[in-house]
Amino acid sequence: MKKLFLLILILTNLTFPQQFKFAWLTDIHIGYPTAEEDLRSSINDINSFSDISFTIVSGDITATGTLEELSLAKTILDDLKKPYFIIPGNHDTKWSESGCTDFLKLWGNDRFVFDYDKFLFIGLHEGPRMRMADGYFAPEDLQWFDSLIASLPNSNKPIIFVTHYPLDEGIADWYEMLDRLKNINTQVVLFGHGHTNRVYNFESIPGVMSRSNLRADKEIGGYTITEIKNDSIYFSERTPNKETKLWHQLPLQQRNYEALVKEQNRPDYSINQKYPDVISAWKFNSGYTIGSSAVTKDNSVFFGDASGNFYSLNLSDGSVNWKFKTQNAIYSTAAIKDNYVVFGSADSSIYCLNSDDGKLKWSYKTNAAVLGCPIIEDDMVYIGGSDKVFRALDFKTGKLIWEFSGLNGFVETKPAFYDDKILFGAWDEYFYCLNSKTGKLNWKWKGNHSGIFYSPAACWPVVSDGIVFFAAPDRKLTALDIETGKEFWRTGKYQVRETVGLSENGKKLFIRTMNDTILALPVSDKLKDPLWITNCGFGYDISSAQIVEKDGRIFYPTKNGMIFSLASETGKIIWQHKITNGYVNTITAISKDEIITTDFDGRVNLIKVLKNK
């Protein structure tokens, strides 16, 4: 009887909410041609309504996440007379020159939580942070969400969850959030990303997608006015200064999601049963997104994570040897020589630590985040930064040897070194060749597609026989003469994107297509037929992880955590092993039977083959 009274009380509290309205903006995309005008129009229109209580903004605030774009967006949004609550979207995080930190500096947080009337609004985004992959709820954000829910005095409080992507397989760990939302009184999930008004059902959780604020092919942009009244939530498309058109209505009610769900789709790990000799010998969990690959020396593994910690682990058992704290996120894969380990941080510094004990040997302060991956050649550290400068430093002292400031975009890649030349791409559409001794520009190259999204900037270029190879988001594979920058060949035949690799002997170029296949081409100044093509069956793949070879095996991790090991001579699949459903960074191969992986789950794994294949 007591339980029945409590249920009636809960339902009564939910059934009679106070009427209120809020505005909903999404996919603003400052940086696109009409975005600024469209946003100002919407802000002025929202301010004209005295009964709009607040505004939520559900991601893709900018085109590319630059400080300039974010700052302009904030200036316009700050003109709102009522409070607003904001999260980033994939455009704000994937191409972020600051390593996703400028958003935090401007708005103070990239999540939100607030009460209004009887409802709790929670906003949380899915990146992906810096790497081309599916959206992903970061481990640190899931921990935050769990702590928040555990702290609620009323576990049955009606919740409106705001995010950027639909809660489906476009998010690699969509099920992590769905399972959490089904255990609380979630009324609706609000999101953008698709730029159109649409209704969804996520395993019985109602979902609503809103139109973009951009005008598209119309004369003016628009947004959504959301109203809660009479036990329902109403969604109306608002065209500023013109009309408000109701397009969806959703009842507000107590929900029992587990009773409604009959089938659930979840990631399939059954492939691991097919290859039982492939095991995870140990796992280390940092608790934060890892967007860098590991490097190894002797019996140690080195990597950094989004908390700003740089770790040394014991290769034998995964225990922590030491850790060093920087002041911001690390997306830079380190380089190591002797007992010097070098990496960049989003705190704008380049660090060199003693690999034995983690003590600081030197640091070099730049003018912006350092997301690029260093290499060490001839006692010099070569690394690019987000201040649009590429530098050479003395690797023992950190003294600046030279800098090249002719870039118009940030650097995230790992450069290649060949015959006194440094080769790399930047997020400014260009691929560069510098003199490694002086930093002077030898040449630069641009593809035939304009726009920074086509920049050859994420791929780690590979060099052999006087040729540099790389793949760009324009889906073309390019081979350039290292001496002149002239194209030997360029092809869209294989539909590639940002992933290449080179055999240890420099004779074979490995590429991954965007659908199912990995293939090998002979290294040549003429495009020749593939040496082999293997259909791996991984489906559509946009991962920016690279292919590596070790001892006659090549290794590649897909965007959904499936690791492939292939024979480099024949392309035969030797084994597969799935470690996550999310992004895995470029693999660190120790031998043909032993690799180190790092991933967006915040985990480091030592994967071993128990017997030779």
Side-chain angles (χ1 to χ4, degrees):
M1 187 68 179
K2 184 177 180 181
K3 289 184 178 179
L4 179 59
F5 174 76
L6 180 61
L7 179 58
I8 292 171
L9 180 62
I10 289 170
L11 291 174
T12 302
N13 285 338
L14 184 59
T15 303
F16 299 101
Q18 178 182 336
Q19 177 176 327
F20 66 92
K21 293 179 182 178
F22 62 91
W24 175 14
L25 295 164
T26 193
D27 297 271
I28 296 166
H29 290 295
I30 292 295
Y32 284 7
T34 68
E36 180 180 350
E37 183 181 352
D38 291 339
L39 181 57
R40 291 188 188 279
S41 173
S42 291
I43 297 303
N44 291 335
D45 195 66
I46 292 169
N47 284 338
S48 72
F49 290 95
S50 61
D51 59 347
I52 287 182
S53 302
F54 57 87
T55 299
I56 60 171
V57 190
S58 59
D60 276 2
I61 316 305
T62 66
T64 60
T66 64
L67 179 58
E68 180 182 8
E69 291 173 349
L70 289 167
S71 298
L72 176 57
K74 187 173 189 299
T75 297
I76 302 171
L77 287 166
D78 283 352
D79 284 338
L80 283 164
K81 295 177 181 178
K82 301 286 183 67
Y84 71 93
F85 305 90
I86 188 168
I87 58 171
N90 58 297
H91 275 258
D92 310 309
T93 59
K94 163 61 188 81
W95 294 277
S96 170
E97 63 187 5
S98 70
C100 310
T101 61
D102 280 341
F103 194 98
L104 295 168
K105 292 172 186 175
L106 289 169
W107 280 284
N109 213 327
D110 58 0
R111 318 159 174 148
F112 65 72
V113 57
F114 67 96
D115 282 286
Y116 197 88
D117 189 55
K118 296 177 174 64
F119 296 87
L120 183 68
F121 288 77
I122 303 173
L124 199 58
H125 75 102
E126 308 94 348
R129 291 166 165 85
M130 300 310 303
R131 307 297 176 227
M132 180 53 71
D134 291 338
Y136 204 72
F137 286 108
E140 57 267 35
D141 285 340
L142 292 175
Q143 292 166 33
W144 172 83
F145 184 90
D146 292 343
S147 296
L148 171 66
I149 298 304
S151 70
L152 294 178
N154 176 8
S155 61
N156 200 57
K157 192 174 185 69
I159 288 171
I160 294 177
F161 184 68
V162 182
T163 190
H164 181 63
Y165 283 85
L167 288 186
D168 57 22
E169 292 178 61
I171 306 170
D173 59 348
W174 82 96
Y175 51 92
E176 291 281 4
M177 187 53 69
L178 268 190
D179 289 346
R180 286 165 167 82
L181 293 175
K182 286 189 293 186
N183 284 322
I184 56 179
N185 192 10
T186 306
Q187 294 300 302
V188 65
V189 178
L190 308 181
F191 51 93
H193 192 62
H195 290 216
T196 189
N197 296 326
R198 188 177 300 166
V199 177
Y200 285 72
N201 182 304
F202 303 122
E203 296 180 6
S204 76
I205 298 178
V208 177
M209 175 187 285
S210 173
R211 60 154 295 162
S212 166
N213 190 67
L214 295 171
R215 68 185 64 180
D217 58 351
K218 307 295 184 183
E219 292 182 1
I220 195 169
Y223 62 97
T224 297
I225 292 179
T226 307
E227 184 173 12
I228 292 178
K229 67 175 181 179
N230 301 330
D231 312 324
S232 293
I233 183 168
Y234 298 84
F235 300 91
S236 299
E237 181 172 347
R238 173 65 181 172
T239 303
N241 303 312
K242 287 191 177 181
E243 64 175 350
T244 305
K245 185 176 181 181
L246 177 69
W247 69 272
H248 183 55
Q249 174 184 348
L250 179 69
L252 298 168
Q253 60 191 40
Q254 181 70 28
R255 304 182 191 279
N256 181 358
Y257 293 111
E258 295 301 332
L260 295 172
V261 175
K262 293 182 172 59
E263 293 185 8
Q264 297 182 134
N265 182 30
R266 293 295 182 266
D268 181 7
Y269 288 80
S270 62
I271 190 67
N272 295 347
Q273 299 171 17
K274 184 177 179 180
Y275 300 96
D277 294 328
V278 182
I279 65 162
S280 180
W282 55 254
K283 295 179 183 178
F284 172 82
N285 192 341
S286 78
Y288 288 84
T289 300
I290 301 177
S292 63
S293 296
V295 295
T296 60
K297 180 180 180 291
D298 300 329
N299 198 45
S300 297
V301 179
F302 305 91
F303 68 96
D305 69 13
S307 74
N309 277 315
F310 188 84
Y311 288 87
S312 169
L313 305 183
N314 186 300
L315 179 58
S316 300
D317 60 12
S319 60
V320 177
N321 295 324
W322 52 259
K323 67 178 179 179
F324 177 90
K325 179 69 172 176
T326 73
Q327 300 306 304
N328 219 319
I330 298 171
Y331 292 98
S332 171
T333 295
I336 192 164
K337 181 177 180 180
D338 300 333
N339 69 333
Y340 295 75
V341 58
V342 182
F343 61 94
S345 169
D347 68 9
S348 76
S349 288
I350 302 163
Y351 292 92
C352 178
L353 308 181
N354 185 312
S355 61
D356 297 326
D357 57 18
K359 302 294 185 184
L360 179 68
K361 284 182 175 285
W362 55 259
S363 64
Y364 184 92
K365 188 73 172 176
T366 74
N367 299 309
V370 183
L371 310 175
C373 306
I375 59 170
I376 302 173
E377 295 286 347
D378 297 335
D379 292 345
M380 301 257 277
V381 174
Y382 299 98
I383 187 169
S386 292
D387 55 1
K388 303 174 185 177
V389 176
F390 195 95
R391 294 176 172 87
L393 308 175
D394 183 285
F395 101 104
K396 288 190 174 180
T397 67
K399 179 183 177 182
L400 179 68
I401 305 302
W402 55 255
E403 60 183 23
F404 175 77
S405 56
L407 308 176
N408 290 308
F410 75 95
V411 177
E412 71 167 272
T413 189
K414 180 179 180 179
F417 179 89
Y418 185 90
D419 193 23
D420 295 335
K421 296 175 180 63
I422 294 291
L423 303 114
F424 63 94
W427 285 107
D428 63 359
E429 306 179 54
Y430 284 94
F431 190 87
Y432 294 85
C433 176
L434 307 182
N435 184 296
S436 64
K437 298 186 184 301
T438 66
K440 290 184 178 180
L441 178 68
N442 290 329
W443 50 261
K444 64 179 182 178
W445 172 94
K446 180 181 178 296
N448 54 358
H449 284 86
S450 295
I452 68 165
F453 293 124
Y454 295 112
S455 300
C459 180
W460 293 2
V462 295
V463 297
S464 183
D465 247 2
I467 311 169
V468 58
F469 302 91
F470 54 86
D474 63 3
R475 306 187 181 194
K476 291 186 177 181
L477 184 65
T478 302
L480 303 181
D481 183 343
I482 288 178
E483 292 299 323
T484 66
K486 301 297 184 183
E487 291 178 13
F488 280 132
W489 50 263
R490 179 166 157 80
T491 180
K493 179 178 181 180
Y494 300 110
Q495 291 290 291
V496 297
R497 183 186 177 115
E498 299 179 327
T499 297
V500 297
L502 189 71
S503 62
E504 289 186 294
N505 64 10
K507 300 299 183 185
K508 290 189 290 296
L509 176 70
F510 304 114
I511 59 174
R512 183 223 69 217
T513 72
M514 292 177 65
N515 285 282
D516 291 321
T517 57
I518 295 175
L519 58 96
L521 295 173
V523 167
S524 172
D525 59 6
K526 295 180 175 57
L527 179 60
K528 295 186 176 181
D529 291 336
L531 299 168
W532 51 258
I533 302 175
T534 300
N535 187 337
C536 297
F538 47 68
Y540 178 70
D541 193 14
I542 54 173
S543 169
S544 54
Q546 307 299 297
I547 299 171
V548 298
E549 185 194 31
K550 189 71 175 179
D551 302 335
R553 298 284 189 269
I554 65 171
F555 301 97
Y556 171 70
T558 70
K559 71 181 177 69
N560 293 122
M562 183 74 78
I563 299 169
F564 285 87
S565 173
L566 278 65
S568 61
E569 282 299 313
T570 65
K572 177 185 176 183
I573 297 174
I574 305 300
W575 55 260
Q576 296 173 236
H577 188 74
K578 188 174 176 67
I579 60 170
T580 177
N581 203 53
Y583 183 82
V584 178
N585 297 290
T586 299
I587 286 169
T588 305
I590 300 168
S591 71
K592 69 187 178 94
D593 294 323
E594 212 169 33
I595 61 173
I596 297 287
T597 66
T598 62
D599 59 47
F600 272 10
D601 287 317
R603 295 184 302 209
V604 184
N605 282 263
L606 172 63
I607 307 295
K608 281 189 173 184
V609 180
L610 295 180
K611 63 181 181 180
N612 292 335
K613 293 284 182 177

